[in-house]
Amino acid sequence: MVHAFIMVKTAAGKSEGLLAGIRDLEQVSDAHIVAGNYDIIAEVDAEEVYGVLKAASGGIQGLEGVTDTKTYIAMD
C-alpha cells in the first residue's frame, strides 16, 4: 500500500468548491483546506505508486480551478 500527500494550489476563491470534488476521488482518503503555500492537502491511499499518480494527474489536476500540485509519498 502506498500512502501519499498531494498539496494543491487553487485559483483565488476556489478552495471550498474544490474540496468536495477532491474528497470524492476514489483514491483520496481525506482532504483539508490549509493555510500556507498550498490551499488543500489531500491524503491518498493506493495499491501502487501508479494509483497515486493517477489520483494526482488524472483526478486532482483535471479539476477546474486547480493551478498546481506537488506529491509527497510517505516513507513510513
Coordinates of all heavy atoms in Angstrom, one line a residue:
M1 N 0.8 -1.2 0.0 CA 0.0 0.0 0.0 C 0.9 1.2 0.0 O 1.9 1.3 0.7 CB -0.9 0.0 1.2 CG -1.9 1.2 1.3 SD -3.1 1.2 0.1 CE -4.3 0.0 0.6
V2 N 0.5 2.2 -0.8 CA 1.3 3.5 -0.9 C 0.4 4.6 -0.3 O -0.8 4.7 -0.7 CB 1.6 3.8 -2.4 CG1 2.4 5.1 -2.4 CG2 2.4 2.7 -3.0
H3 N 1.0 5.3 0.6 CA 0.3 6.5 1.2 C 1.0 7.7 0.8 O 2.2 7.8 0.9 CB 0.3 6.3 2.8 CG -0.6 7.3 3.5 ND1 -1.9 7.3 3.5 CD2 -0.2 8.5 4.1 CE1 -2.4 8.3 4.2 NE2 -1.4 9.0 4.6
A4 N 0.2 8.7 0.3 CA 0.9 9.9 -0.2 C 0.0 11.2 0.2 O -1.2 11.1 0.6 CB 1.0 9.9 -1.7
F5 N 0.7 12.3 0.2 CA 0.0 13.6 0.4 C 0.2 14.4 -0.9 O 1.3 14.6 -1.4 CB 0.7 14.3 1.6 CG 0.6 13.6 2.9 CD1 1.6 12.7 3.2 CD2 -0.5 13.7 3.7 CE1 1.5 11.9 4.4 CE2 -0.6 13.0 4.9 CZ 0.4 12.1 5.2
I6 N -0.9 14.9 -1.3 CA -0.9 15.8 -2.5 C -1.3 17.2 -2.1 O -2.4 17.4 -1.6 CB -1.8 15.3 -3.6 CG1 -1.5 13.8 -4.0 CG2 -1.8 16.2 -4.8 CD1 -2.4 13.2 -5.0
M7 N -0.3 18.1 -2.3 CA -0.5 19.5 -2.0 C -1.1 20.2 -3.2 O -0.7 20.0 -4.3 CB 0.8 20.2 -1.6 CG 1.7 19.3 -0.8 SD 1.0 18.8 0.7 CE 1.7 20.0 1.8
V8 N -2.2 20.9 -3.0 CA -2.9 21.5 -4.1 C -3.0 23.0 -4.0 O -3.4 23.5 -3.0 CB -4.4 20.9 -4.2 CG1 -5.1 21.5 -5.4 CG2 -4.3 19.4 -4.2
K9 N -2.6 23.7 -5.1 CA -2.8 25.2 -5.2 C -4.1 25.4 -6.0 O -4.3 24.7 -7.0 CB -1.7 25.9 -5.8 CG -0.5 26.1 -4.9 CD 0.6 26.9 -5.5 CE 1.8 27.1 -4.6 NZ 2.8 27.9 -5.1
T10 N -4.9 26.3 -5.6 CA -6.1 26.6 -6.4 C -6.2 28.1 -6.8 O -5.5 28.9 -6.2 CB -7.4 26.3 -5.5 OG1 -7.5 27.2 -4.4 CG2 -7.4 24.9 -5.0
A11 N -7.0 28.3 -7.8 CA -7.3 29.7 -8.1 C -7.9 30.4 -7.0 O -8.6 29.8 -6.1 CB -8.1 29.8 -9.4
A12 N -7.8 31.7 -6.9 CA -8.4 32.5 -5.8 C -9.9 32.2 -5.7 O -10.7 32.2 -6.6 CB -8.2 34.0 -6.1
G13 N -10.3 31.9 -4.4 CA -11.7 31.7 -4.1 C -12.2 30.3 -4.5 O -13.4 30.1 -4.4
K14 N -11.4 29.4 -4.9 CA -11.9 28.1 -5.4 C -11.7 26.9 -4.4 O -12.2 25.9 -4.7 CB -11.1 27.7 -6.7 CG -11.4 28.7 -7.9 CD -12.8 28.5 -8.4 CE -13.0 29.4 -9.6 NZ -14.3 29.2 -10.2
S15 N -11.0 27.2 -3.4 CA -10.7 26.1 -2.4 C -11.9 25.3 -1.9 O -12.0 24.1 -1.9 CB -9.8 26.6 -1.3 OG -8.6 27.0 -1.7
E16 N -12.8 26.1 -1.4 CA -14.0 25.4 -0.8 C -14.8 24.7 -1.8 O -15.3 23.6 -1.5 CB -14.9 26.5 -0.1 CG -14.3 27.0 1.2 CD -15.2 27.9 1.9 OE1 -16.5 27.7 1.8 OE2 -14.7 28.8 2.6
G17 N -14.9 25.2 -3.0 CA -15.7 24.5 -4.1 C -15.0 23.2 -4.5 O -15.6 22.2 -4.9
L18 N -13.6 23.2 -4.5 CA -12.9 22.1 -5.0 C -12.7 21.0 -3.9 O -12.5 19.8 -4.2 CB -11.4 22.5 -5.4 CG -11.3 23.2 -6.7 CD1 -10.0 23.9 -6.9 CD2 -11.6 22.2 -7.8
L19 N -12.9 21.3 -2.7 CA -12.7 20.3 -1.6 C -13.6 19.1 -1.7 O -13.1 18.0 -1.6 CB -12.9 21.0 -0.2 CG -12.6 20.1 1.0 CD1 -11.1 19.7 1.0 CD2 -12.9 20.9 2.3
A20 N -14.8 19.3 -2.0 CA -15.7 18.1 -2.1 C -15.4 17.3 -3.3 O -15.4 16.0 -3.3 CB -17.2 18.6 -2.2
G21 N -15.0 17.9 -4.4 CA -14.6 17.2 -5.6 C -13.4 16.3 -5.4 O -13.2 15.2 -5.9
I22 N -12.4 16.9 -4.7 CA -11.2 16.1 -4.3 C -11.5 15.0 -3.4 O -11.1 13.9 -3.6 CB -10.1 17.1 -3.7 CG1 -9.6 18.0 -4.8 CG2 -9.0 16.3 -3.1 CD1 -8.7 19.1 -4.3
R23 N -12.3 15.2 -2.4 CA -12.7 14.2 -1.5 C -13.5 13.0 -2.1 O -13.4 11.9 -1.7 CB -13.6 14.7 -0.3 CG -12.8 15.5 0.7 CD -13.6 16.0 1.8 NE -12.9 16.6 2.9 CZ -13.4 17.5 3.8 NH1 -14.7 17.8 3.8 NH2 -12.6 18.0 4.7
D24 N -14.2 13.3 -3.2 CA -14.9 12.3 -3.9 C -14.1 11.4 -4.8 O -14.6 10.4 -5.3 CB -16.0 13.0 -4.8 CG -17.2 13.5 -4.0 OD1 -17.3 13.1 -2.8 OD2 -17.9 14.3 -4.6
L25 N -12.8 11.7 -5.0 CA -12.0 10.9 -5.9 C -11.7 9.6 -5.2 O -11.5 9.5 -3.9 CB -10.7 11.6 -6.2 CG -10.8 12.9 -7.1 CD1 -9.5 13.6 -7.1 CD2 -11.3 12.5 -8.4
E26 N -11.7 8.5 -5.9 CA -11.6 7.1 -5.4 C -10.4 6.9 -4.4 O -10.5 6.4 -3.4 CB -11.5 6.1 -6.5 CG -11.5 4.7 -6.0 CD -11.4 3.7 -7.2 OE1 -11.6 4.1 -8.4 OE2 -11.1 2.6 -6.9
Q27 N -9.2 7.4 -4.8 CA -8.0 7.1 -4.0 C -7.8 8.1 -2.9 O -7.0 7.8 -2.0 CB -6.7 7.2 -4.9 CG -6.7 6.1 -5.9 CD -7.2 6.5 -7.3 OE1 -7.9 7.6 -7.4 NE2 -6.9 5.8 -8.3
V28 N -8.6 9.1 -2.8 CA -8.4 10.1 -1.7 C -9.1 9.7 -0.5 O -10.3 9.4 -0.5 CB -9.0 11.5 -2.2 CG1 -9.0 12.5 -1.0 CG2 -8.2 12.0 -3.4
S29 N -8.4 9.5 0.6 CA -9.0 9.1 1.9 C -9.4 10.3 2.7 O -10.3 10.1 3.5 CB -8.0 8.2 2.7 OG -6.8 9.0 2.9
D30 N -8.8 11.4 2.5 CA -9.2 12.6 3.2 C -8.6 13.9 2.6 O -7.6 13.7 1.9 CB -8.8 12.6 4.7 CG -9.7 13.4 5.6 OD1 -10.6 14.1 5.1 OD2 -9.5 13.3 6.8
A31 N -9.1 15.0 2.8 CA -8.6 16.3 2.3 C -9.0 17.4 3.2 O -10.1 17.4 3.8 CB -9.1 16.5 0.9
H32 N -8.1 18.4 3.3 CA -8.3 19.5 4.2 C -7.9 20.8 3.5 O -6.9 20.9 2.8 CB -7.5 19.4 5.4 CG -7.8 18.1 6.2 ND1 -8.8 17.9 7.0 CD2 -7.1 16.9 6.1 CE1 -8.8 16.7 7.5 NE2 -7.8 16.1 6.9
I33 N -8.6 21.9 3.7 CA -8.2 23.2 3.4 C -7.2 23.7 4.4 O -7.4 23.5 5.6 CB -9.4 24.2 3.3 CG1 -10.3 23.8 2.1 CG2 -8.9 25.7 3.2 CD1 -11.6 24.7 2.1
V34 N -6.1 24.2 4.0 CA -5.0 24.6 4.9 C -4.5 26.0 4.6 O -4.7 26.5 3.5 CB -3.8 23.6 4.9 CG1 -4.2 22.2 5.3 CG2 -3.2 23.5 3.5
A35 N -3.8 26.6 5.5 CA -3.2 27.9 5.3 C -1.7 27.6 5.0 O -1.1 26.7 5.6 CB -3.3 28.7 6.6
G36 N -1.1 28.4 4.1 CA 0.3 28.2 3.8 C 0.5 28.3 2.3 O -0.2 29.0 1.6
N37 N 1.6 27.7 1.8 CA 1.9 27.8 0.4 C 0.9 27.0 -0.5 O 0.8 27.3 -1.7 CB 3.3 27.2 0.2 CG 4.4 28.0 0.8 OD1 4.2 29.2 0.9 ND2 5.5 27.4 1.1
Y38 N 0.2 26.1 0.1 CA -0.8 25.4 -0.7 C -2.2 25.6 0.0 O -2.2 26.0 1.1 CB -0.5 23.9 -0.8 CG 0.7 23.6 -1.7 CD1 2.0 23.7 -1.3 CD2 0.5 23.4 -3.1 CE1 3.1 23.5 -2.1 CE2 1.5 23.2 -3.9 CZ 2.8 23.3 -3.5 OH 3.9 23.1 -4.3
D39 N -3.2 25.3 -0.8 CA -4.6 25.6 -0.3 C -5.3 24.4 0.2 O -6.1 24.5 1.1 CB -5.4 26.2 -1.4 CG -4.8 27.5 -2.0 OD1 -4.5 28.4 -1.2 OD2 -4.4 27.5 -3.2
I40 N -5.0 23.2 -0.3 CA -5.6 21.9 0.1 C -4.5 20.9 0.2 O -3.6 20.8 -0.6 CB -6.7 21.5 -0.9 CG1 -7.8 22.5 -1.0 CG2 -7.2 20.1 -0.6 CD1 -8.8 22.3 -2.1
I41 N -4.7 20.0 1.2 CA -3.8 18.8 1.3 C -4.7 17.6 1.2 O -5.7 17.5 2.0 CB -3.0 18.8 2.6 CG1 -2.0 19.9 2.6 CG2 -2.3 17.4 2.7 CD1 -1.2 20.0 3.9
A42 N -4.4 16.7 0.2 CA -5.2 15.5 0.1 C -4.4 14.3 0.5 O -3.2 14.2 0.1 CB -5.7 15.4 -1.4
E43 N -5.0 13.4 1.2 CA -4.3 12.1 1.6 C -4.8 11.1 0.6 O -6.0 10.9 0.4 CB -4.6 11.7 3.0 CG -4.0 12.6 4.0 CD -4.1 12.0 5.4 OE1 -3.7 10.9 5.7 OE2 -4.8 12.7 6.2
V44 N -3.8 10.3 0.0 CA -4.2 9.3 -1.0 C -3.6 8.0 -0.5 O -2.5 7.9 -0.1 CB -3.6 9.7 -2.3 CG1 -3.8 8.7 -3.4 CG2 -4.2 11.0 -2.8
D45 N -4.4 7.0 -0.7 CA -4.0 5.6 -0.5 C -4.3 4.8 -1.8 O -5.4 4.8 -2.3 CB -4.8 4.9 0.7 CG -4.5 5.6 2.0 OD1 -3.3 5.6 2.3 OD2 -5.4 6.0 2.7
A46 N -3.2 4.1 -2.2 CA -3.3 3.3 -3.4 C -2.5 2.0 -3.3 O -1.6 2.0 -2.5 CB -2.8 4.1 -4.6
E47 N -2.8 1.1 -4.1 CA -2.1 -0.2 -4.1 C -0.7 0.0 -4.6 O 0.2 -0.7 -4.1 CB -2.8 -1.2 -5.0 CG -4.1 -1.7 -4.5 CD -4.0 -2.4 -3.1 OE1 -3.1 -3.2 -3.0 OE2 -4.9 -2.2 -2.3
E48 N -0.4 0.9 -5.5 CA 0.9 1.1 -6.0 C 1.1 2.6 -6.4 O 0.1 3.3 -6.4 CB 1.2 0.2 -7.2 CG 0.2 0.3 -8.3 CD 0.4 -0.7 -9.4 OE1 0.6 -1.9 -9.1 OE2 0.3 -0.3 -10.6
V49 N 2.3 3.0 -6.7 CA 2.6 4.4 -7.0 C 1.8 4.9 -8.2 O 1.4 6.0 -8.2 CB 4.1 4.5 -7.3 CG1 4.4 5.9 -7.7 CG2 4.9 4.3 -6.0
Y50 N 1.5 4.0 -9.1 CA 0.7 4.4 -10.3 C -0.6 4.9 -9.9 O -1.2 5.9 -10.4 CB 0.5 3.2 -11.3 CG -0.3 3.6 -12.4 CD1 0.2 4.4 -13.5 CD2 -1.7 3.1 -12.5 CE1 -0.7 4.7 -14.6 CE2 -2.5 3.5 -13.6 CZ -2.0 4.3 -14.6 OH -2.8 4.6 -15.6
G51 N -1.2 4.4 -8.8 CA -2.5 4.8 -8.3 C -2.4 6.2 -7.8 O -3.4 7.0 -7.9
V52 N -1.3 6.6 -7.1 CA -1.1 7.9 -6.6 C -1.0 8.9 -7.8 O -1.6 10.0 -7.8 CB 0.2 8.0 -5.7 CG1 0.5 9.4 -5.3 CG2 0.0 7.1 -4.5
L53 N -0.2 8.5 -8.8 CA 0.0 9.4 -10.0 C -1.4 9.6 -10.7 O -1.6 10.7 -11.1 CB 1.0 8.7 -10.9 CG 2.4 8.6 -10.4 CD1 3.3 7.9 -11.4 CD2 3.0 10.0 -10.1
K54 N -2.2 8.5 -10.7 CA -3.5 8.6 -11.4 C -4.4 9.6 -10.6 O -5.1 10.4 -11.2 CB -4.1 7.3 -11.4 CG -5.5 7.3 -12.1 CD -6.1 5.9 -12.2 CE -7.5 5.9 -12.7 NZ -8.1 4.6 -12.6
A55 N -4.3 9.6 -9.3 CA -5.1 10.5 -8.5 C -4.7 11.9 -8.7 O -5.5 12.8 -8.8 CB -5.0 10.1 -7.0
A56 N -3.3 12.1 -8.8 CA -2.8 13.5 -8.9 C -3.0 14.0 -10.3 O -3.6 15.1 -10.5 CB -1.3 13.5 -8.6
S57 N -2.6 13.3 -11.3 CA -2.7 13.8 -12.7 C -4.0 13.6 -13.4 O -4.5 14.5 -14.0 CB -1.6 13.2 -13.6 OG -1.7 11.8 -13.7
G58 N -4.6 12.5 -13.2 CA -5.9 12.2 -13.8 C -7.1 12.7 -13.0 O -8.2 13.0 -13.6
G59 N -6.9 12.9 -11.7 CA -8.0 13.3 -10.9 C -7.9 14.7 -10.5 O -8.7 15.6 -11.0
I60 N -7.0 15.0 -9.6 CA -7.0 16.4 -9.0 C -6.6 17.4 -10.0 O -7.3 18.5 -10.1 CB -6.0 16.4 -7.8 CG1 -6.6 15.5 -6.6 CG2 -5.7 17.8 -7.3 CD1 -5.6 15.3 -5.5
Q61 N -5.6 17.2 -10.8 CA -5.1 18.2 -11.8 C -6.2 18.4 -12.9 O -6.2 19.5 -13.5 CB -3.8 17.8 -12.4 CG -2.7 17.9 -11.5 CD -1.4 17.4 -12.1 OE1 -1.3 16.9 -13.2 NE2 -0.3 17.5 -11.3
G62 N -7.1 17.5 -13.0 CA -8.2 17.7 -14.0 C -9.3 18.5 -13.6 O -10.2 18.8 -14.3
L63 N -9.4 18.9 -12.3 CA -10.5 19.7 -11.8 C -10.3 21.1 -12.1 O -9.2 21.7 -11.9 CB -10.6 19.5 -10.2 CG -10.9 18.1 -9.8 CD1 -10.8 18.0 -8.2 CD2 -12.3 17.6 -10.2
E64 N -11.3 21.8 -12.5 CA -11.2 23.2 -12.9 C -11.0 24.0 -11.6 O -11.6 23.9 -10.6 CB -12.5 23.7 -13.5 CG -12.5 25.1 -14.0 CD -13.7 25.5 -14.8 OE1 -14.4 24.6 -15.3 OE2 -14.0 26.7 -14.8
G65 N -10.0 24.9 -11.7 CA -9.6 25.7 -10.5 C -8.3 25.3 -9.9 O -7.8 26.0 -9.1
V66 N -7.8 24.1 -10.2 CA -6.5 23.6 -9.7 C -5.4 24.2 -10.5 O -5.4 24.0 -11.7 CB -6.5 22.1 -9.6 CG1 -5.1 21.6 -9.3 CG2 -7.5 21.5 -8.7
T67 N -4.5 24.9 -9.9 CA -3.4 25.5 -10.6 C -2.1 24.8 -10.5 O -1.2 25.0 -11.4 CB -3.2 27.0 -10.2 OG1 -2.9 27.0 -8.8 CG2 -4.5 27.8 -10.4
D68 N -1.9 24.0 -9.4 CA -0.6 23.3 -9.3 C -0.8 22.2 -8.2 O -1.6 22.4 -7.3 CB 0.5 24.3 -8.8 CG 1.9 23.8 -8.8 OD1 2.2 22.9 -9.6 OD2 2.7 24.2 -7.9
T69 N 0.0 21.2 -8.3 CA 0.1 20.2 -7.3 C 1.5 19.7 -7.0 O 2.4 19.9 -7.9 CB -0.7 18.9 -7.7 OG1 -0.1 18.3 -8.8 CG2 -2.2 19.2 -8.0
K70 N 1.7 19.2 -5.9 CA 3.0 18.6 -5.5 C 2.7 17.4 -4.7 O 1.9 17.4 -3.8 CB 3.9 19.6 -4.7 CG 5.3 19.1 -4.5 CD 6.2 20.1 -3.9 CE 6.6 21.2 -4.9 NZ 7.8 20.9 -5.7
T71 N 3.3 16.3 -5.0 CA 3.0 15.0 -4.4 C 4.2 14.5 -3.5 O 5.3 14.6 -4.0 CB 2.7 13.9 -5.5 OG1 1.6 14.4 -6.3 CG2 2.4 12.6 -4.8
Y72 N 3.9 14.1 -2.3 CA 4.9 13.6 -1.4 C 4.4 12.2 -1.0 O 3.3 12.0 -0.5 CB 5.0 14.4 -0.1 CG 5.5 15.8 -0.4 CD1 4.6 16.9 -0.6 CD2 6.9 16.1 -0.4 CE1 5.1 18.2 -0.9 CE2 7.3 17.4 -0.6 CZ 6.4 18.4 -0.9 OH 6.9 19.6 -1.1
I73 N 5.3 11.2 -1.2 CA 4.9 9.8 -0.8 C 5.5 9.5 0.5 O 6.7 9.8 0.8 CB 5.5 8.8 -1.9 CG1 4.8 9.0 -3.2 CG2 5.4 7.4 -1.4 CD1 5.2 8.2 -4.3
A74 N 4.7 9.0 1.4 CA 5.1 8.7 2.8 C 6.1 7.5 2.8 O 5.9 6.6 2.1 CB 3.9 8.4 3.7
M75 N 7.1 7.7 3.6 CA 8.2 6.6 3.6 C 8.0 5.7 4.8 O 8.8 4.8 5.0 CB 9.6 7.3 3.6 CG 9.8 8.1 2.4 SD 9.6 7.3 0.8 CE 11.1 6.3 0.8
D76 N 7.1 6.0 5.7 CA 6.9 5.2 6.9 C 5.7 4.3 6.8 O 4.9 4.4 6.0 CB 6.9 6.0 8.2 CG 5.7 7.0 8.2 OD1 5.0 7.1 7.2 OD2 5.4 7.6 9.2

